[in-house]
Amino acid sequence: MLRFELLATDGLARRGRLTLNHGVVQTPVFMPVGTYGSVKGVMPASLQDMGAEIILGNTFHLWMRPGQEVLQRFGGLHAFEQWQRPMLTDSGGFQVWSLGATRKISEAGVQFSSPVNGDKLFMSPEVSMQIQTWLNADIAMQLDECTPYQTDGQLTTEAQARHSMALSLRWAQRSKAEFERLQNPNALFGIVQGGMFEHLRQESLQALVEMDFPGYAVGGVSVGEPKEEMRRIMAHTPQRLPAHKPRYLMGVGTPQDLVEGVAQGVDMFDCVMPTRNARNGTLFTRYGDLKIRNARHKADHQPLDPSCTCYACAGRSGVAWADGGREGFSRAYLHHLDRCGEMLGPMLASIHNLHYYLNLMRELRAALDAGRFQAFQAQFQAERARGV
């Protein structure tokens, strides 16, 4: 079902191992996002080759399409998308929040119109647990209300954040009760809410810990707040969660966010940024971000990152240019593909960005194993500041 082993610590940073129904996940870990049952532009075999141990599916969107009947015929999401390693599904709470004025939240759940065909639909904690049970992901998430940074164009007040947080707690109890009633063989995580208010985060955290979930997530960040506000919550909440259970920071973020999150005690991350930025021409490298659409790359023979061993940078040899390999694709070629709108461009860019994120987590784990996390942080910051 779920077993978390804490293997090493360095300050607040943690090195662990998470055992789930479909395999073992080494932490800290980054989880590529596969919204519709597919990580955009990346073959499942490529994900395996680059070392992805766990990916995400989106409960809300998979409920819309292909729907319950199809997925139940396949016995869940693993067989449907041919991914046999661990998987996590979100509860649909963030997607419901993003619908804005087209949804109506009540104690019972959320009434909204389908963005696919306009049908009137209702999502409750019970419905979310039922969907996630037939999706059969290794980790399911409670239904929560994602507390916005702004409400009606104004900063969300303490009273508004408290009301939202309290509703999420009541939904957490209902989610857990339905998850157990369904005898779901996987693990259910609770989600800490409370907006930008530390005392509300603490209240939410304590109540969820009393419910004894197998793992906990920090939600309601990366929802429009300034970066310093997100970092304030990231510095407050993860370290206060139970040390013997996994900690997940939802929807975050940049490479710097990941390293800082690990420093604050986070074990698990997800974000659409690697693939979304790839489609928009922004590549992450050891030495900073590269804008492949810039004209200066038009005739550049270099790979995206000379130290990278991904297929885009090193080809099938998997040998970094820094080590003498010359099989990868040039910046000039990726610039050309982007300018021509060729689909191979964002595919190669997505492979590179995801490889970069997953390799960053491998390097973080190695640093924690060796007891040199602070030295790694300093090196990471210096290299990223160098620029491409």
Side-chain angles (χ1 to χ4, degrees), residues 164-228:
S164 176
M165 179 271 288
L167 178 62
S168 288
L169 286 177
R170 294 191 295 273
W171 284 1
Q173 290 177 318
R174 289 168 55 189
S175 294
K176 190 169 187 288
E178 181 67 4
F179 189 86
E180 292 171 351
R181 185 190 72 80
L182 294 166
Q183 297 183 318
N184 189 315
N186 299 297
L188 177 66
F189 280 23
I191 304 176
V192 178
Q193 289 288 353
M196 298 296 114
F197 301 92
E198 283 105 330
H199 65 286
L200 295 182
R201 291 277 176 178
Q202 188 63 30
E203 287 184 36
S204 175
L205 185 157
Q206 290 173 340
L208 289 168
V209 169
E210 288 177 7
M211 296 181 206
D212 194 27
F213 285 92
Y216 298 93
V218 178
V221 292
S222 196
V223 289
E225 76 278 8
K227 184 71 76 171
E228 58 269 20

Side-chain angles (χ1 to χ4, degrees), residues 148-161:
Y149 180 64
Q150 291 188 333
T151 302
D152 298 327
Q154 302 293 322
L155 292 180
T156 298
T157 66
E158 193 270 355
Q160 290 168 327

